Amino acid sequence: MSESPEAFYLPLGDGRYEPTRATESPWDPAAQHGGPPTALLAHVIDRTVEPGLRLGRISVDFLGPIPRREVRIEVSPVRPGRSIHLTEARMIADDRPAVIARTWHIATGPTPPATGEQLTPPPLPAPGPKPPRLTGWGYGEAVEWRYTHGAPDALGRTAVWARPRVPLIAGEKLTGQAAALIVADSANGLSAVLPMTEWLSIPPTMTTTLARAPEGDWVHMDARTTLSDDGLGVARATLCDPTGYLGEVAQPLLVRKR
């Protein structure tokens, strides 16, 4: 990036954050991509939950374009508990909710005697040239992308290793969970089956389910999109980290010609 920001967000105190250019959407330079707000909401919610509970699922509803201006995060417990805990958080911009997130935190416990089916991700490829489609806008440049299936200019199923180049919040170390959620909302863009210059595939909501706590900065996404004959669709992705299977992403889509 021409001027690399130090993080996706600058903390301003009292639950307020300033989004940097790293959050910039490909559709509108004045709007945020959905990934960084998702990670920020989860991060703030985590601070309100008792130790011993881990994020198992986050669903985020995007109520419209997310302004790339100062935002405030408000958190409310919905169903407190020691085994399961449901929380809602709102990202407020210009005194209006822009994103609403709901999280289920689940208590951790002893290792079960069976783990079920496992998945080994492909090796991390060597660095390559920056994909032109992912340059020139903040979020695309704030994440490093290495393709294991498909290509930046190809349509359909795409798989990538992705790593945020900067922390979520200035002055704080990037966590594995933040890295996974920053990239999770890219499933629809990576696996688009129609040319993005001619068609919109807009996800008004996204759900990410995590089987375990992510480890490290790198996240592998194997993304696919399926469209219906009535202008809707679903984008989904399987998430892995270098250790193995991590979780799933699902996004319903509004599909319209530009």
Side-chain angles (χ1 to χ4, degrees):
M1 299 189 303
S2 54
E3 293 184 9
S4 299
E6 58 179 309
F8 288 92
Y9 294 98
L10 306 178
L12 303 176
D14 298 323
R16 298 175 300 116
Y17 296 86
E18 182 72 30
T20 70
R21 183 175 175 267
T23 66
E24 181 187 4
S25 162
W27 310 114
D28 181 355
Q32 299 186 54
H33 186 279
T38 299
L40 180 63
L41 287 161
H43 175 82
V44 175
I45 290 174
D46 278 348
R47 292 175 169 175
T48 70
V49 176
E50 293 294 326
L53 293 165
R54 177 177 66 73
L55 181 69
R57 190 214 71 181
I58 181 169
S59 293
V60 287
D61 297 321
F62 306 113
L63 306 185
I66 310 166
R68 195 157 63 87
R69 295 190 290 277
E70 180 183 318
V71 297
R72 184 176 78 257
I73 307 296
E74 298 177 350
V75 179
S76 303
V78 177
R79 196 280 191 195
R82 289 180 294 180
S83 297
I84 55 173
H85 188 112
L86 177 63
T87 310
E88 181 176 287
R90 297 161 296 281
M91 176 175 281
I92 310 295
D94 301 330
D95 295 322
R96 299 181 63 179
V99 186
I100 297 177
R102 279 197 164 199
T103 62
W104 279 104
H105 282 72
I106 302 173
T108 57
T111 301
T115 58
E117 183 181 4
Q118 295 298 300
L119 179 64
T120 301
L124 177 68
K130 287 185 178 180
R133 185 164 73 90
L134 296 169
T135 59
W137 50 286
Y139 174 84
E141 295 184 0
V143 177
E144 182 177 356
W145 310 90
R146 299 192 193 179
Y147 285 70
T148 60
H149 183 89
D153 55 352
L155 297 175
R157 180 198 162 201
T158 299
V160 298
W161 280 103
R163 176 177 64 175
R165 299 179 187 273
V166 296
L168 176 64
I169 300 170
E172 299 189 21
K173 186 180 184 300
L174 180 72
T175 65
Q177 176 180 292
L181 296 180
I182 286 169
V183 303
D185 191 51
S186 300
N188 64 307
L190 289 169
S191 63
V193 295
L194 293 171
M196 297 176 70
T197 55
E198 302 174 28
W199 291 85
L200 295 172
S201 297
I202 301 172
T205 184
M206 179 196 68
T207 298
T208 300
T209 304
L210 296 175
R212 58 179 175 80
E215 299 179 17
D217 298 347
W218 285 102
V219 180
H220 188 262
M221 294 184 65
D222 191 339
R224 295 167 168 83
T225 290
T226 302
L227 304 185
S228 67
D229 59 2
D230 62 353
L232 279 73
V234 175
R236 60 206 186 279
T238 298
L239 301 180
C240 292
D241 64 11
T243 304
Y245 176 78
L246 192 56
E248 305 287 336
V249 177
Q251 301 167 294
L253 302 175
L254 167 73
V255 182
R256 293 292 185 272
K257 195 168 180 61
R258 287 180 177 274

